């Protein structure tokens, strides 16, 4: 791809960022999140929120004490007294249907190079598609109990491990060489995270309910990487004229992105359903459109954009992609990341390259049942339309 000076400057900032786990905080303290404000994935919900997000919002309202039960929470949300904002606009990344409220604990990833703002993510609820995890948009007492466990038990139990900063790029770099993709497969990165927790915490952690929970679910690592990617990408934001993608995600109805030269401005399109295997008896028609801030993995350059590293995901997505996916990194990602010396993985998604080549990135995303009743239905591949990339480049050209 042709080198653009503004894009190169943004890329240099991205490559200079050194995201590290530096703490666990309440979202109210971390980003000044007010009461009755909830952060959601993807761009602003211009056509209204999909049901799974509203379900997670109801659970959050009860967790916060804004409502005494889920029925009262539904009424509170319907009244308009609860305000929704895109999480990435507060430098938070949240998966699928999960929302973030002021009292929820978030992991903090800070740039040790000092060039970007800290970024945050809630704790991942683990579980399979049938679990009452917030990211699947289940509205139930079980979902509320899990939120309380994550925030009241897991967060304080792991917080001390981050007293000394833990750089995250080396963890992901090593994991790529062992078959992870840093989006849907986290087996190797999770092993490292668990080892760090066991080494830095008391022996009682390993035998505790929290230790058992964290050890059981490799997906627990995903939210750390989402925050790390958000941290690094925020370091690249604000370069005048740059079309480097610095934010991306879906809210279940729209998919959107931001570019470095126009920080805070979303460019969106209707979100189609990712294509993939759905657990029976459901079909893709049962699912919401593209959903979640975990698309930051591909916005950074990994996930489906690093499919060549991950035989497990190649097998999972078999039949839903062709070999052209393996050529996308060199076409759309600006260069090998210096923080990945072992894997040699590329990073830096260029909206200009999308426009010039006419090819869009591919994103791995979870599939969520759209009525909010049956949770996660699998995972698939999503190819966003070129429209948002084209609109961002046109807006940059217009000054």
């Amino acid at each position: 791809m042709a080198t653009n000076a503004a894009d190169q400057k943004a890329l240099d900032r991205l490559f200079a960022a050194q995201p590290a786990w530096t703490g666990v905080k309440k979202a109210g303290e971390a980003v000044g999140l007010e009461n009755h404000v909830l952060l959601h994935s993807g761009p602003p919900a211009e056509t209204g929120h999909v049901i799974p997000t509203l379900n997670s919002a109801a659970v959050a309202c009860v967790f916060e004490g804004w409502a005494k039960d889920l029925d009262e929470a539904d009424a509170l949300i319907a009244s308009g007294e609860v305000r929704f904002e895109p999480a990435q606009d507060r430098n938070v990344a949240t998966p699928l249907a999960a929302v973030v409220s002021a009292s929820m604990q978030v992991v903090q990833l800070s740039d040790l190079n000092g060039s970007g703002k800290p970024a945050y993510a809630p704790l991942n609820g683990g579980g399979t598609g049938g679990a009452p995890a917030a990211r699947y948009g289940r509205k139930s007492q079980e979902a509320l109990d899990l939120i309380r466990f994550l925030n009241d038990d897991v967060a304080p139990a792991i917080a001390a491990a981050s007293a000394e900063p833990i750089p995250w790029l080396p963890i992901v770099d090593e994991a790529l060489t062992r078959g992870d993709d840093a989006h849907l497969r986290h087996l190797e990165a999770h092993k490292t995270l668990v080892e760090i927790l066991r080494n830095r915490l008391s022996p009682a952690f390993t035998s505790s309910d929290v230790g058992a929970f964290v050890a059981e679910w490799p997906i627990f690592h995903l939210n750390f990487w989402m925050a790390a990617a958000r941290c690094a990408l925020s370091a690249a934001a604000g370069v005048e004229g740059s079309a480097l993608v610095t934010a991306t995600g879906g809210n279940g109805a729209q998919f959107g992105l931001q570019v470095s030269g126009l920080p805070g401005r979303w460019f969106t399109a209707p979100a189609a359903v990712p294509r993939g295997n759905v657990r029976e008896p459901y079909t893709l028609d049962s699912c919401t459109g593209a959903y979640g801030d975990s698309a930051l993995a591909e916005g950074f350059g990994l996930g489906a954009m690093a499919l060549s590293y991950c035989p497990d995901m190649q097998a999972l997505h078999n039949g839903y992609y062709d070999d052209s996916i393996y050529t996308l990194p060199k076409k759309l990602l600006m260069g090998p990341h210096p923080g990945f010396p072992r894997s040699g993985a590329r990073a830096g998604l260029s909206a200009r390259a999308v426009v010039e080549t006419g090819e869009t990135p591919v994103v791995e995303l979870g599939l969520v049942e759209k009525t909010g009743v049956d949770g996660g239905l699998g995972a698939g591949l999503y190819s966003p339309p070129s429209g948002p990339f084209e609109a961002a480049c046109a807006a940059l050209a217009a000054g």
Side-chain angles (χ1 to χ4, degrees):
M1 68 185 73
T3 302
N4 173 281
D7 289 346
Q8 185 62 52
K9 182 176 180 180
L11 186 71
D12 290 345
R13 291 186 181 183
L14 173 65
F15 284 176
Q18 300 175 31
W21 182 25
T22 56
V24 178
K25 296 180 177 180
K26 289 186 176 181
E29 173 192 355
V31 298
L33 191 60
E34 307 87 347
N35 281 330
H36 292 83
V37 177
L38 297 175
L39 305 182
H40 64 84
S41 62
E46 297 171 353
T47 59
H49 288 285
V50 296
I51 292 173
T53 298
L54 295 175
N55 283 355
S56 286
V59 173
C61 287
V62 179
F63 171 76
E64 289 288 344
W66 305 337
K68 69 176 184 297
D69 56 35
L70 294 169
D71 289 338
E72 189 174 286
D74 286 340
L76 180 69
I77 293 166
S79 75
E81 292 187 38
V82 176
R83 182 160 55 90
F84 292 83
E85 293 183 11
Q88 291 184 59
D89 286 351
R90 299 273 191 135
N91 235 29
V92 177
T94 192
L96 296 172
V99 299
V100 177
S101 59
S103 298
M104 290 184 184
Q105 302 274 2
V106 290
V107 293
Q108 175 177 294
L109 276 287
S110 304
D111 180 10
L112 297 184
N113 198 34
S115 60
K117 295 179 290 185
Y120 306 88
L123 294 171
N124 193 289
T128 61
R135 70 186 186 278
Y136 294 140
R138 303 285 287 278
K139 183 174 64 175
S140 65
Q141 181 62 46
E142 291 77 12
L144 180 59
D145 291 343
L146 181 55
I147 286 288
R148 287 172 172 160
F149 173 67
L150 290 170
N151 288 278
D152 298 343
D153 297 310
V154 178
I158 68 171
S162 60
E164 180 74 21
I166 303 168
W168 224 257
L169 293 182
I171 293 173
V172 173
D173 183 33
E174 177 68 22
L176 289 170
T177 70
R178 297 181 180 179
D180 278 3
D181 69 352
H183 195 158
L184 291 185
R185 190 188 194 271
H186 296 267
L187 295 179
E188 301 301 329
H190 174 253
K191 288 177 185 176
T192 302
L193 172 57
V194 170
E195 182 180 5
I196 289 169
L197 293 175
R198 289 174 175 171
N199 288 340
R200 293 195 173 196
L201 300 175
S202 72
F205 170 81
T206 301
S207 59
S208 68
D209 289 345
V210 170
F213 172 82
V214 172
E216 182 177 4
W217 299 109
I219 198 69
F220 190 75
H221 172 265
L222 170 60
N223 292 30
F224 286 82
W225 175 240
M226 287 167 59
R230 184 77 199 108
C231 173
L233 290 169
S234 71
V239 176
E240 184 177 357
S242 174
L244 185 77
V245 172
T246 52
T248 187
N251 60 33
Q254 294 92 32
F255 189 85
L257 60 92
Q258 297 182 24
V259 294
S260 173
L262 297 167
R265 182 173 172 181
W266 286 94
F267 298 89
T268 65
V273 178
R275 296 179 65 252
N277 294 306
V278 181
R279 64 181 170 95
E280 296 182 349
Y282 303 94
T283 69
L284 291 176
D285 289 339
S286 306
C287 304
T288 70
Y291 213 167
D293 287 338
S294 61
L296 286 163
E298 283 79 9
F300 186 92
L302 302 183
M305 295 295 285
L307 192 64
S308 62
Y309 292 88
C310 192
D312 283 359
M313 290 304 105
Q314 293 170 27
L316 178 69
H317 301 308
N318 186 40
Y320 295 98
Y321 71 94
D322 60 44
D323 286 350
S324 65
I325 196 171
Y326 299 119
T327 68
L328 289 178
K330 284 192 175 181
K331 292 179 179 178
L332 304 183
L333 303 176
M334 292 187 65
H337 196 298
F340 293 154
R342 290 180 59 81
S343 66
R346 298 175 71 87
L349 177 59
S350 166
R352 281 194 175 90
V354 170
V355 174
E356 290 170 2
T357 63
E359 297 188 61
T360 59
V362 178
V363 183
E364 289 178 315
L365 291 172
L367 295 167
V368 176
E369 195 271 320
K370 63 187 178 185
T371 70
V373 174
D374 293 313
L377 301 184
L381 296 176
Y382 172 68
S383 295
S386 61
F389 299 92
E390 294 168 350
C393 290
L396 288 169

